[in-house]
Amino acid sequence: MIYINKPFFLCILLLNSPAFLAQSLPQINAKDYEFESNTKQVEITTYNIENDSVVVSKISSYSFNSEGAMESYESRNKQNKSWEKEKNTYKKGRLHKKTGKYSNSVLNKKHHYTYDDNVHLSNEQIRLNNGNTNTVKFEYKDNLLHKISSNLDETVITHHYTQKGHLYKKVYAMKQAGKPNLVSNHFYLENKEIFSYIVPKNHYKAHIYNENVYIGFELIDDERIKSKLDKGIQRFNKEAPKDNLPFNLQQHCNQTWQFYNKNLDKVIPFEIKIYKYKKDASGNKIKYAEAIVDIKTKTISSVSFYKTTFNNNSVVGSTAFDENLFSEFKEDITFINIP
């Protein structure tokens, strides 16, 4: 971490290899998808923007039961005519089975879930359409998820927690034939991944979650910066387990944003998103629009509009293309420095 005044800058690595992205706990609750727990349905329409031409590219929807658990998900790609559907079934309030069907039937699969005596998810068995199976095992320590292992890609994810039980680190280790394990360390604040790196320390990347903007960026190979980062990582590993960090997520992101703006010659953004929110009657922020920035052209490449229906049948947002919001997104880009 680079110290800017007293807080220090943190960065994150997102591994791009699909084999290295092992299973995590199944996402089944509205909260897991960053929706409010009283959400009944979310409909999303994504529009691609090409030379000011607006074309529908994807239509998707999530449905949740009265307890906030996801019942189904559907998605249709309007450009290549592909589609996918997922359906969850529950027993005694626990996820029992998930069925995935796709326009390419080769991808069809079924997930079956079993639980231990403490009602923790212990195994996820994934049966593919070709008859192959993958078993994901979940292990716990002190009632907290400790390890996830998969027999398909031989990846093990180990979770580390603070004294108060907050996740602060995940370590991914993947076996390589005839080589040392490929290992990456991922660090968290308030359940948001904030920085990571591959062992040995390289490929530093960072996430900024700042108000209505998300930026993911990588750092160029700079020994001076790496030296400061390593010192910050050492301190994070020391202080986070004791719940003794001198900043929260927003303070960290504010400092990271400052670093980003002051060091544009040393950063390589790989993803930029802009969000729009409305507040419901309880003051909760409901996302109703999202734009993805084309980093090369510094323009909006796609916009998604959200229509959220709650259990009381109230509705926030619309999936129709909104020219005024699109204009706002284009204006928002002018406030983001893109190298």
Side-chain angles (χ1 to χ4, degrees), residues 48-55 300 321 323 326 330:
N48 279 357
I49 314 298
E50 297 179 6
N51 300 322
D52 292 328
S53 175
V54 179
V55 179
I300 300 296
F321 188 85
E323 288 282 358
F326 181 55
K330 291 195 290 186

Side-chain angles (χ1 to χ4, degrees), residues 106-324:
V106 173
L107 302 175
N108 288 356
K109 55 186 176 179
K110 293 182 179 180
H111 303 242
H112 291 270
Y113 302 93
T114 56
Y115 298 80
D116 61 22
D117 293 339
N118 294 317
V119 200
H120 294 312
L121 175 63
S122 58
N123 284 278
E124 177 182 24
Q125 186 179 72
I126 306 167
R127 184 174 294 277
L128 306 178
N129 202 38
N130 61 9
N132 292 338
T133 60
N134 177 29
T135 299
V136 181
K137 184 178 180 181
F138 302 86
E139 301 175 55
Y140 300 82
K141 182 184 292 185
D142 299 326
N143 281 324
L144 294 171
L145 179 62
H146 177 54
K147 284 186 179 181
I148 303 175
S149 55
S150 165
N151 70 342
L152 185 63
D153 55 16
E154 296 189 279
T155 299
V156 176
I157 309 173
T158 305
H159 298 65
H160 299 264
Y161 300 89
T162 70
Q163 292 176 351
K164 295 181 179 179
H166 302 301
L167 176 69
Y168 78 90
K169 182 168 68 172
K170 292 182 185 179
V171 179
Y172 291 66
M174 184 179 70
K175 290 183 179 180
Q176 299 185 103
K179 297 180 181 180
N181 287 354
L182 181 61
V183 178
S184 71
N185 291 265
H186 300 244
F187 298 84
Y188 293 78
L189 271 178
E190 299 173 25
N191 292 320
K192 291 283 190 180
E193 190 176 5
I194 54 171
F195 70 96
S196 66
Y197 61 88
I198 294 177
V199 176
K201 296 188 178 72
N202 54 25
H203 299 295
Y204 297 94
K205 291 185 180 179
H207 289 298
I208 299 172
Y209 311 91
N210 199 37
E211 297 180 355
N212 293 348
V213 175
Y214 160 77
I215 300 177
F217 66 93
E218 184 176 1
L219 286 173
I220 65 170
D221 195 3
D222 185 294
E223 290 302 321
R224 182 182 64 84
I225 290 178
K226 281 188 175 182
S227 177
K228 292 185 177 181
L229 286 171
D230 289 342
K231 291 179 181 178
I233 289 168
Q234 290 174 10
R235 183 170 178 187
F236 189 92
N237 273 318
K238 178 181 178 181
E239 302 297 341
K242 299 182 291 186
D243 296 287
N244 198 34
L245 291 173
F247 51 82
N248 59 23
L249 176 64
Q250 192 57 61
Q251 291 168 329
H252 157 74
C253 288
N254 290 343
Q255 291 294 324
T256 307
W257 185 284
Q258 290 180 33
F259 171 84
Y260 173 89
N261 285 329
K262 292 178 180 178
N263 296 274
L264 294 176
D265 60 329
K266 297 180 176 63
V267 300
I268 306 171
F270 56 83
E271 188 173 29
I272 298 176
K273 295 181 179 181
I274 308 172
Y275 307 100
K276 297 295 181 182
Y277 296 95
K278 292 181 179 179
K279 287 188 177 181
D280 63 11
S282 301
N284 299 311
K285 291 173 63 177
I286 310 300
K287 181 168 65 175
Y288 69 100
E290 172 184 319
I292 296 178
V293 178
D294 185 315
I295 295 168
K296 290 184 179 180
T297 63
K298 302 180 182 180
T299 60
I300 300 296
S301 61
S302 69
V303 180
S304 297
F305 293 97
Y306 292 65
K307 177 184 177 182
T308 302
T309 304
F310 297 97
N311 289 335
N312 62 3
N313 290 322
S314 62
V315 176
V316 172
S318 166
T319 58
F321 188 85
D322 189 315
E323 288 282 358
N324 292 329

Side-chain angles (χ1 to χ4, degrees), residues 21-154:
L21 299 177
Q23 294 284 326
S24 60
L25 282 172
Q27 291 182 302
I28 60 170
N29 293 311
K31 283 289 188 180
D32 294 328
Y33 294 89
E34 298 187 341
F35 304 138
E36 290 303 309
S37 56
N38 62 337
T39 300
K40 181 178 181 180
Q41 184 178 45
V42 179
E43 300 167 74
I44 309 166
T45 299
T46 300
Y47 300 82
N48 279 357
I49 314 298
E50 297 179 6
N51 300 322
D52 292 328
S53 175
V54 179
V55 179
V56 175
S57 61
K58 183 179 179 181
I59 298 175
S60 54
S61 66
Y62 299 84
S63 296
F64 302 91
N65 62 25
S66 58
E67 284 74 42
M70 190 178 78
E71 292 184 326
S72 64
Y73 166 75
E74 296 187 15
S75 177
R76 287 181 289 146
N77 187 312
K78 301 290 286 185
Q79 295 181 312
N80 62 19
K81 308 301 181 182
S82 64
W83 55 266
E84 61 180 290
K85 297 180 180 181
E86 289 184 2
K87 183 178 180 180
N88 293 338
T89 57
Y90 298 84
K91 283 187 177 181
K92 299 180 180 179
R94 299 194 294 269
L95 180 61
H96 173 65
K97 183 173 68 174
K98 178 169 69 175
T99 302
K101 293 185 176 181
Y102 302 83
S103 50
N104 180 358
S105 61
V106 173
L107 302 175
N108 288 356
K109 55 186 176 179
K110 293 182 179 180
H111 303 242
H112 291 270
Y113 302 93
T114 56
Y115 298 80
D116 61 22
D117 293 339
N118 294 317
V119 200
H120 294 312
L121 175 63
S122 58
N123 284 278
E124 177 182 24
Q125 186 179 72
I126 306 167
R127 184 174 294 277
L128 306 178
N129 202 38
N130 61 9
N132 292 338
T133 60
N134 177 29
T135 299
V136 181
K137 184 178 180 181
F138 302 86
E139 301 175 55
Y140 300 82
K141 182 184 292 185
D142 299 326
N143 281 324
L144 294 171
L145 179 62
H146 177 54
K147 284 186 179 181
I148 303 175
S149 55
S150 165
N151 70 342
L152 185 63
D153 55 16
E154 296 189 279

